[in-house]
Amino acid sequence: VEQMRREGYEMIITPPQILTTTHPVTGEKLEPWEEVVIDVDAEYSGTVVNALTGARKGILVEMMDDTHGKTRMKFEVPSRGLLGFGPEIATATRGTAVMHHCYLEDREYAGMIGTGTERGKLVSNELGKATLFALESLSARGTLFVAPGEMVYPGMVIGENNKSGDLEVNPVRAKATSNMRTQAKDEKLYLPPPKKMSVEELIGYMSEDEVIEVTPQSVRLRKLELDAGVRERAARTKKKQMDALKANAKGGKK
């Protein structure tokens, strides 16, 4: 993708999907599983185990320590559980983790990946250039992906919400002007630098209802459906489906 971008191509990338199959005898849904081997500093071994065996539905098969302060772990993980895992674990282990993975076999579908309480996104509802005044107030609500002066449009993801659920925001709002003088300290606004992600990181980060716009000049994350009303109705439907899945899972355990 990066090579095509440098050559001047423009494209839209949709969320990656796995290829499922059906068991010929039982008729149950099957998905690909992979064997994952990770070498990491012993102090970060717990971080790796928690990351793969929790919401990503991985299984720890083997764990060995050596005399050089390294730990080798072997996991069996659904292919879906590895989406976006590389950049995440590299950051969590400060670049000390080395990961290798390969296809293992098709197994029974592992169910929902994730906890269902992941953070939402800050979504622009206006067209124009982002202003320092608006972004400074939005920085308290989450992590921003854009800087002042960048063009935004309705449906574009401009940041990550601190809470679950998407939030419609106005990043182009300007400060109301008046003929009243104010102190100089009131004019000083501090804004942390925006978080920038590569195409690979965005592919693992994006949600099912989002796409990535790749052009030679920029890489943007946006909602597949730009209309806020349609997105809201789809979110309510998805919430009902998630609640039904959780209820069925609890009923199965009983």
Side-chain angles (χ1 to χ4, degrees), residues 2-86:
E2 286 288 355
Q3 180 65 30
M4 294 177 67
R5 178 190 171 198
R6 296 189 194 100
E7 294 175 357
Y9 290 95
E10 297 183 2
M11 68 200 81
I12 288 181
I13 303 175
T14 57
Q17 297 180 347
I18 63 166
L19 297 177
T20 60
T21 57
T22 303
H23 195 282
V25 179
T26 62
E28 65 182 3
K29 187 178 180 180
L30 304 178
E31 68 173 335
W33 282 62
E34 300 191 30
E35 182 180 78
V36 183
V37 178
I38 299 179
D39 294 305
V40 68
D41 289 350
E43 60 180 305
Y44 298 115
S45 60
T47 302
V48 175
V49 172
N50 290 336
L52 273 181
T53 59
R56 295 180 182 272
K57 301 294 181 72
I59 302 171
L60 178 61
V61 178
E62 188 177 351
M63 185 172 181
M64 297 179 294
D65 294 324
D66 62 17
T67 57
H68 303 290
K70 293 284 187 178
T71 300
R72 168 167 289 189
M73 292 167 285
K74 184 185 294 185
F75 298 87
E76 294 177 356
V77 188
S79 296
R80 292 179 298 139
L82 294 178
L83 296 176
F85 178 71

Side-chain angles (χ1 to χ4, degrees), residues 1 18 29 49 64 98 120 144 181 183-184 204 240:
V1 174
I18 63 166
K29 187 178 180 180
V49 172
M64 297 179 294
V98 178
L144 297 176
R181 290 188 177 184
Q183 295 183 2
K240 291 180 181 178

Side-chain angles (χ1 to χ4, degrees), residues 15-16 36 38 87 95 119 172 187 193 201 211 215 244 251:
V36 183
I38 299 179
R119 293 181 179 180
V172 304
E187 302 297 328
E201 291 173 323
V211 295
T215 69

Side-chain angles (χ1 to χ4, degrees), residues 122-245:
L122 300 178
V123 185
S124 172
N125 58 11
E126 292 291 340
L127 172 67
K129 288 186 177 181
T131 63
L132 176 62
F133 176 74
L135 294 182
E136 196 275 335
S137 61
L138 294 177
S139 62
R141 295 180 176 271
T143 304
L144 297 176
F145 299 159
V146 297
E150 291 188 27
M151 287 296 300
V152 298
Y153 55 86
M156 177 178 168
V157 176
I158 66 161
E160 180 182 84
N161 193 4
N162 284 335
K163 301 178 181 180
S164 61
D166 295 338
L167 181 64
E168 299 281 335
V169 297
N170 181 3
V172 304
R173 179 168 56 92
K175 185 176 182 179
T177 57
S178 67
N179 58 359
M180 298 295 293
R181 290 188 177 184
T182 58
Q183 295 183 2
K185 66 179 181 180
D186 293 334
E187 302 297 328
K188 294 180 181 179
L189 300 176
Y190 169 74
L191 187 68
K195 180 180 180 180
K196 297 295 184 181
M197 290 188 280
S198 65
V199 174
E200 179 186 0
E201 291 173 323
L202 284 173
I203 289 175
Y205 176 74
M206 66 194 301
S207 303
E208 294 180 356
D209 63 339
E210 296 168 352
V211 295
I212 304 172
E213 285 185 352
V214 181
T215 69
Q217 291 77 29
S218 62
V219 177
R220 298 188 182 99
L221 182 65
R222 73 168 178 85
K223 293 296 182 179
L224 178 62
E225 176 55 61
L226 298 180
D227 189 288
V230 176
R231 290 201 308 271
E232 185 177 354
R233 290 192 293 271
R236 288 198 296 265
T237 302
K238 183 178 179 181
K239 185 177 184 301
K240 291 180 181 178
Q241 294 174 347
M242 295 286 289
D243 292 341
L245 286 173

